[in-house]
Amino acid sequence: MTTPAAPSVLFVCVHNAGRSQMAAAFLTHLAGDKVQVRSAGSAPADAVNPAVVEAMKESGIDISAETPKVLTVEAVQASDVVITMGCGDACPYFPGKRYLDWKLDDPAGQGVQAVRPIRDEIEQRIRGLLAELEIEPAS
C-alpha cells in the first residue's frame, strides 16, 4: 500500500516578508510533513518584517531564520494549491492548480500591535485549509 504524496501549498505575497511567511509558518507548524509548504514574493524584501517575527514568536513559532524568496514559475508548477495575498496578477496561472486569493491587511510598516490580528486571521484560514485538505492539525 502506497502513501499518497503530501499536497503542496505555495503562499505568495508581494514582499514575502509578512503574510506569506506567517501562513507558511502556521501550515508547517500545524501540518508537519503532511503538507509541502513554500512561500515566495513577486518583489521580495531584504528581510522578514521584524514585527511579523515578533508576533509569530508570541504564538510559539520562530521564523527569525526565514528569508524572503523570489516567486518562480517552477514553484507554482510544483504546487497543488497556490494562495495569493495581494499579488494575484503577478502569479503565473497554470490549468489544474487550485488558486485562492486571501484578502488580508498588509503588515508592511506596521508594529506588532497591528500585526497580531492579521496573524490570528491567517492562523484561522490555515486551520480551515487543513480541514479542506482533510489533514488533522497538530495540537
Side-chain angles (χ1 to χ4, degrees):
M1 188 162 137
T2 59
T3 306
S8 177
V9 178
L10 170 65
F11 296 100
V12 183
C13 67
V14 176
H15 300 297
N16 190 221
R19 296 166 290 187
S20 56
Q21 290 283 351
M22 287 189 282
F26 273 123
L27 186 54
T28 299
H29 180 74
L30 293 170
D33 60 2
K34 297 176 195 157
V35 178
Q36 294 177 11
V37 182
R38 297 178 181 86
S39 72
S42 53
D46 294 328
V48 175
N49 179 336
V52 166
V53 172
E54 183 61 33
M56 291 302 289
K57 192 177 291 181
E58 292 174 0
S59 291
I61 301 172
D62 181 6
I63 63 169
S64 61
E66 295 297 326
T67 57
K69 295 167 258 341
V70 69
L71 175 64
T72 65
V73 169
E74 294 78 21
V76 177
Q77 288 175 317
S79 301
D80 300 309
V81 181
V82 178
I83 301 174
T84 57
M85 302 169 174
C87 71
D89 295 345
C91 191
Y93 179 83
F94 293 98
K97 305 287 178 200
R98 180 173 174 206
Y99 289 86
L100 301 172
D101 186 43
W102 288 357
K103 303 283 188 227
L104 296 161
D105 291 337
D106 188 349
Q110 303 289 324
V112 73
Q113 199 73 6
V115 173
R116 286 183 187 120
I118 302 168
R119 173 201 65 200
D120 295 344
E121 182 176 350
I122 289 171
E123 180 180 9
Q124 289 309 308
R125 288 180 184 232
I126 293 298
R127 290 182 181 278
L129 177 65
L130 285 169
E132 287 175 32
L133 295 172
E134 298 179 353
I135 293 172
E136 190 68 33
S139 49

